[in-house]
Amino acid sequence: QQPVQSPQAVILREGEDAVINCSSSKALYSVHWYRQKHGEAPVFLMILLKGGEQKGHEKISASFNEKKQQSSLYLTASQLSYSGTYFCGATADRGSTLGRLYFGRGTQLTVWP
Amino acid sequence: DGGITQSPKYLFRKEGQNVTLSCEQNLNHDAMYWYRQDPGQGLRLIYYSQIVNDFQKGDIAEGYSVSREKKESFPLTVTSAQKNPTAFYLCASSNSYGYTFGSGTRLTVV
């Protein structure tokens, strides 16, 4: 039930854009996105519910395609502070954003000046 | 400020010893979780609890034990039965708006 993230790693120059995908073979109810800096705790970015909802956080936004069982995280005009490992987490329980999350293996994003 | 406190930050365990990792939250969240993180593996769920005095095994519960006697506290014991305990351990709590993670405990077997 672990979601699959792609790509595994991304290297960008400051100002470039990136897309990170998170897909599942099981029906999803909600998708969470987190960013983790090395040696630190993951930090919550956003949560998306099924229905194709799109959300934004600074220049980071995400979408949830229920038909494809996929969520995508969009990083626009990347900044050095965006470097880190991005995890998606998914819940399969209908009617709930609570309960255990199934996390992907993470996408390591590196932004160079 | 509300948050989750994990202690200690670093822990060294000798072979055959049990050790307990502390996790305390003041967010008034009902649900709490323990994850293990190894390089390239992502976050793997050890145990979780959605209510006081109740908890469920996650995907890698063997060699670990937990208790949930208070809403605020969810300690994890790494027993001698856990053959490869060296890892980064993260505690989290959640409400309907998402998870909040503690800063983690790095456990090393010496």
Side-chain angles (χ1 to χ4, degrees):
Chain A
Q1 295 190 355
Q2 182 180 39
V4 176
Q5 284 186 237
S6 63
Q8 283 186 319
V10 183
I11 299 176
L12 301 171
R13 288 283 189 185
E14 211 172 357
E16 291 181 338
D17 302 339
V19 180
I20 300 171
N21 295 308
C22 175
S23 61
S24 173
S25 57
K26 300 204 105 179
L28 299 176
Y29 180 78
S30 68
V31 177
H32 303 217
W33 284 97
Y34 295 82
R35 176 172 62 209
Q36 185 181 29
K37 305 273 186 180
H38 183 70
E40 298 179 8
V43 173
F44 174 76
L45 293 177
M46 64 192 78
I47 182 172
L48 298 103
L49 303 180
K50 69 168 195 161
E53 183 175 350
Q54 187 148 353
K55 285 199 156 188
H57 176 78
E58 299 173 347
K59 291 182 182 175
I60 300 174
S61 62
S63 64
F64 184 2
N65 187 320
E66 186 185 347
K67 271 189 179 176
K68 290 185 179 179
Q69 299 301 329
Q70 178 176 299
S71 177
S72 297
L73 187 72
Y74 306 95
L75 298 102
T76 307
S78 58
Q79 305 167 14
L80 296 177
S81 62
Y82 287 3
S83 291
T85 301
Y86 289 78
F87 292 98
C88 69
T91 60
D93 294 331
R94 258 180 132 49
S96 175
T97 56
L98 293 173
R100 64 163 297 174
L101 285 178
Y102 294 87
F103 282 97
R105 292 194 171 194
T107 295
Q108 190 168 346
L109 184 85
T110 305
V111 182
W112 292 100
Chain B
D1 266 352
I4 295 186
T5 302
Q6 286 189 244
S7 61
K9 193 171 175 69
Y10 298 96
L11 187 57
F12 296 90
R13 190 195 95 165
K14 291 183 180 178
E15 297 274 357
Q17 266 186 345
N18 292 355
V19 290
T20 298
L21 283 59
S22 170
C23 177
E24 303 276 332
Q25 55 105 353
N26 60 4
L27 298 165
N28 201 33
H29 289 172
D30 286 317
M32 297 187 74
Y33 312 83
W34 273 105
Y35 285 90
R36 171 179 170 145
Q37 191 172 32
D38 297 280
Q41 296 273 2
L43 296 161
R44 294 187 290 168
L45 184 65
I46 304 172
Y47 269 98
Y48 65 107
S49 167
Q50 293 185 302
I51 198 166
V52 175
N53 291 324
D54 189 40
F55 47 84
Q56 287 78 40
K57 291 182 179 180
D59 300 320
I60 54 166
E62 187 175 347
Y64 300 98
S65 66
V66 293
S67 63
R68 186 86 187 277
E69 295 175 4
K70 298 186 300 181
K71 188 174 184 177
E72 302 79 22
S73 179
F74 192 41
L76 173 74
T77 297
V78 184
T79 74
S80 55
Q82 171 49 240
K83 296 306 175 193
N84 185 22
T86 295
F88 189 50
Y89 290 86
L90 284 163
C91 178
S93 69
S94 73
N95 60 11
S96 56
Y97 300 104
Y99 276 38
T100 301
F101 284 88
S103 55
T105 293
R106 191 165 296 279
L107 174 64
T108 305
V109 173
V110 295

